[in-house]
Amino acid sequence: MAVKDVGVGVDNEEAPAVTVAVVYHSVHGHTRVLAEHLAEGARLVPGARVHLVEVRAEDVVAGRWHDAEVLALLERSDAIVLGCPTLMGSVSAVFKAFMEAAFTPFVTQAWKDKLAGGFTMSASQSGDKLAVLEQLAVFAAQLGMQWIGVGDMPGNNWSGGSRDDVNRLGSWLGLMSQSHADQGPEQAGSRGDLITARRYGERIARLTQRWVNAVPYETDRMTEHEARALSASLRSAGMEAAGTEAAGA
């Protein structure tokens, strides 16, 4: 199945519902791990129903992608998060086929004013990942969507930093992660990347609740010093502490 229902946010009995779809393509499984952590972060938000949607190579025929079930789900979603690996400085060919298949919601404006975000993975520290996030953001803009960036301060930019820091690659347009080329998906990204993915997913879901249902949202603000302290505390904490509320941020 291309679609996996991750479930509804915790303690959601009194919370209004929103739907967040995390749409991704993964070649070797590394980007899938990033998508799963982002989805888990979104699921921390009460009332958020989260779907993982895999764009598969086998759904591309003669260069064209089509999946009516997926397109119907995305039309019902309140937020759509887009992700794929960075390959040769661009989105993957399979994900580009998905993007081109969005011509119908483009002409009907079916996705207009939905919220959007993006993420990408590469083996190199840079790998020109910014080019992919820009492609995804332009795609969302053409569909009339409202883009949400990463809200965390940069990590690993000082002598006491670590690859396990939150936002260790210092990306704000969207989520960036890096995996070593000789390691499998079980070692995808760094711990800091996966924590950042969960925090980004939670941020998107909370802003979706605010956008759709006017649920109050208290903006998380911190100084660079406070951000460094947060990264240090999360290095020794469990992954369950990766959310903004659980981390005390």
Side-chain angles (χ1 to χ4, degrees):
M1 287 290 291
V3 178
K4 177 182 178 182
D5 186 351
V6 180
V8 183
V10 295
D11 300 324
N12 65 308
E13 292 183 2
E14 302 298 326
V18 292
T19 300
V20 178
V22 181
V23 188
Y24 72 94
H25 170 240
S26 185
V27 178
H28 301 296
H30 301 78
T31 307
R32 177 183 296 111
V33 172
L34 202 61
E36 290 171 345
H37 279 79
L38 195 150
E40 283 300 317
R43 205 172 68 85
L44 293 173
V45 177
R49 176 167 291 280
V50 185
H51 298 278
L52 271 172
V53 182
E54 183 177 9
V55 178
R56 304 173 300 188
E58 55 264 38
D59 294 326
V60 179
V61 179
R64 296 293 182 181
W65 177 92
H66 181 72
D67 189 318
E69 176 190 10
V70 167
L71 290 175
L73 170 65
L74 297 183
E75 187 160 343
R76 298 192 303 269
S77 298
D78 301 299
I80 302 173
V81 192
L82 309 159
C84 68
T86 296
L87 302 177
M88 303 304 293
S90 180
V91 299
S92 61
V94 172
F95 204 76
K96 184 63 166 65
F98 158 76
M99 292 165 66
E100 291 182 1
F103 181 73
T104 297
F106 167 73
V107 297
T108 62
Q109 293 197 307
W111 296 1
K112 185 176 182 179
D113 287 340
K114 295 182 186 296
L115 298 187
F119 60 99
T120 189
M121 170 81 73
S122 73
S124 298
Q125 295 292 321
S126 170
D128 293 321
K129 288 189 283 288
L130 180 59
V132 168
L133 293 178
E134 289 174 337
Q135 284 178 278
L136 298 178
V138 169
F139 169 72
Q142 289 188 334
L143 286 153
M145 305 174 77
Q146 305 294 319
W147 187 266
I148 299 173
V150 172
D152 289 311
M153 295 291 283
N156 199 24
N157 64 348
W158 65 301
S159 60
S162 162
R163 71 188 304 267
D164 288 335
D165 285 356
V166 173
N167 197 15
R168 57 125 175 174
L169 294 177
S171 174
W172 290 276
L173 183 60
L175 174 65
M176 290 184 185
S177 180
Q178 176 266 335
S179 294
H180 297 317
D182 60 340
Q183 294 180 335
E186 66 280 357
Q187 294 175 291
S190 69
R191 188 166 181 275
D193 294 348
L194 302 184
I195 289 173
T196 308
R198 289 172 69 97
R199 289 171 61 84
Y200 187 38
E202 183 183 359
R203 170 176 164 83
I204 290 171
R206 290 196 183 282
L207 286 172
T208 303
Q209 278 285 27
R210 182 180 184 180
W211 181 260
V212 175
N213 297 313
V215 173
Y217 174 86
E218 184 174 346
T219 299
D220 171 28
R221 294 185 176 92
M222 64 180 71
T223 65
E224 194 168 43
H225 177 76
E226 290 169 336
R228 290 172 179 173
L230 171 63
S231 286
S233 68
L234 289 175
R235 288 176 207 155
S236 58
M239 187 62 75
E240 65 275 5
T244 55
E245 286 196 343

